[in-house]
Amino acid sequence: MVSWTEADEARSADWRSEGGTPPPKRVVVADDTISADAAYRLACEGTAILWRGDFQNARQLLQAMARRIDRKPAAKKKDGEVIPLSEAFNKHRLAQSQRARTLGMLLLPFDADFTVPLRRAPDVRQACLEAYGKVEAPFVASLRELLGLIGAHEWHRKGVEVAALGERIHPHYGVFAPTRSEYIKLVAEAPLPSKDLAFDIGTGTGVLAALLAKRGVAQVVATDLDPRALICANENFKRLRVNKQANAIQADLFPEGRAPLIVCNPPWVPARPSSPLEHAIYDPDSRMLRGFLSGLAEHLTPRGEGWLILSDLAEHLGLRSRDELMAMLDSAGLKVLGRLEAKPHHPKVADDADPLHIARAAEITSLWRLAAADPA
Ligand SMILES: C[S@@+](CC[C@H](N)C(=O)[O-])C[C@H]1O[C@@H](n2cnc3c(N)ncnc32)[C@H](O)[C@@H]1O
């Protein structure tokens, strides 16, 4: 619940945050008369602002608050000082989460049917339904979260073009969207060890499972822990007409049995996610990577291959060394048959104002072809 006082009356409503933010403790009511400076000050102090003014003005206010954060000068470096990338990464993450917290302080009221009872509010009912499911009562959520929901709804509606598939994948809210093409191309080009059966571990939108099915693999069992991913993947299989070959089921890593090909694109940065929406990228202590590697040999058929898709960004950031990765493979009883490499093409690679630019510019994504060192 979130509580506030309005016209001398104590009020409260349900609190919603798919980003996992706890409800703000202090809330004041404001409208178009508040200045951006005053709103920014309140947000920085941890006081949330429940908006009663015009919806479009709230959007502009949020942008004005963001500009105030973004123009704050970064901490000065001493002459000649070189900040290690691991430190720059931690600072960058901290700044990102502070930014999210501050901008998450501008709140909107919602009716139980997802209408936003404000002047010039758009119809966001479908976007909210896709993320929240049905709700019973009016609630309060942040404008920043709503903008994320609207963006996700547009992606879901239009889909993401996947060149290697020659079709579009429609991501659901909160499911990892295949906007980077390089890793998909690797899976499209690697020589298939068998066309009988494949497992796709952590399938997300189902993009890799669908690709394997399009490449002629007769049966693909895809797994994920996230129920949204399972619905999303199965919908994509249907849309891409591979639902007779591919099926997504809930499992922690592997389904039952063995397969001659097991593919996995785990989260690639071993750090704590700052919201549930980041679970597909950040994996504390490389939990999924370790789990995949340690269970791989016992799920492969003799002469089967495991395809691990992994960016080396963590290595450039000093978060995991190549030696550690090789030691993980070794202790999992795996050998490397080969490795295909690709350079990511995403907008941040070209952004030299990004504090992690050096690491991103050096990043390589690999498809590691793995096999049991001592097949059972
Ligand atoms: C980086 S995303 C990859 C999604 C998709 N395979 C792709 O390549 O676009 C990692 C996926 O692994 C899933 N995941 C994380 N831990 C898992 C586990 N223990 N078992 C199954 N899936 C898991 C996440 O929900 C997420 O969908």
Side-chain angles (χ1 to χ4, degrees), residues 97-116:
S97 75
Q98 275 168 354
R99 187 179 195 279
R101 197 170 328 125
T102 305
L103 296 180
M105 289 288 166
L106 186 54
L107 312 183
L108 300 179
F110 292 76
D111 291 338
D113 67 351
F114 301 122
T115 308
V116 178

Side-chain angles (χ1 to χ4, degrees), residues 176 183 200 202-204 207-208 223-226 251-253 265-268 280 287-288:
F176 182 76
Y183 77 90
D200 174 22
T203 195
V207 61
L208 299 181
T223 69
D224 210 292
L225 274 179
D226 178 1
D252 186 357
L253 299 170
N265 176 22
W268 59 98
R287 181 192 164 273
M288 184 172 176

Side-chain angles (χ1 to χ4, degrees), residues 183-194 198-201 208 211-212 215 217 254 259-266 289 292-293 296 300 303-310 329 334-335 337-340 366-371:
Y183 77 90
I184 303 172
K185 205 159 165 269
L186 291 176
V187 174
E189 288 169 0
L192 286 171
S194 156
F199 295 162
D200 174 22
I201 309 302
L208 299 181
L211 181 57
L212 293 174
R215 288 191 66 188
V217 177
F254 299 91
L261 172 61
I262 307 184
V263 178
C264 182
N265 176 22
L289 173 64
F292 172 71
L293 293 177
L296 182 58
L300 283 174
R303 287 183 300 284
E305 282 188 25
W307 290 357
L308 169 67
I309 292 131
L310 196 65
L329 295 178
L334 298 167
K335 64 179 179 195
L337 299 177
R339 186 152 68 89
L340 310 179
S366 300
L367 183 155
W368 295 79
R369 292 177 50 226
L370 305 173

Side-chain angles (χ1 to χ4, degrees), residues 5-27:
T5 303
E6 194 163 5
D8 294 331
E9 234 180 72
R11 305 269 301 267
S12 63
D14 285 348
W15 167 248
R16 283 191 186 273
S17 168
E18 285 298 314
T21 313
K25 294 205 175 69
R26 283 187 308 279
V27 179

Side-chain angles (χ1 to χ4, degrees), residues 87-97 354-356 360:
E87 203 180 303
F89 172 73
N90 288 334
K91 280 194 174 147
H92 174 68
R93 297 276 296 146
L94 193 65
Q96 272 185 324
S97 75
D354 171 11
L356 306 181
R360 291 196 216 273

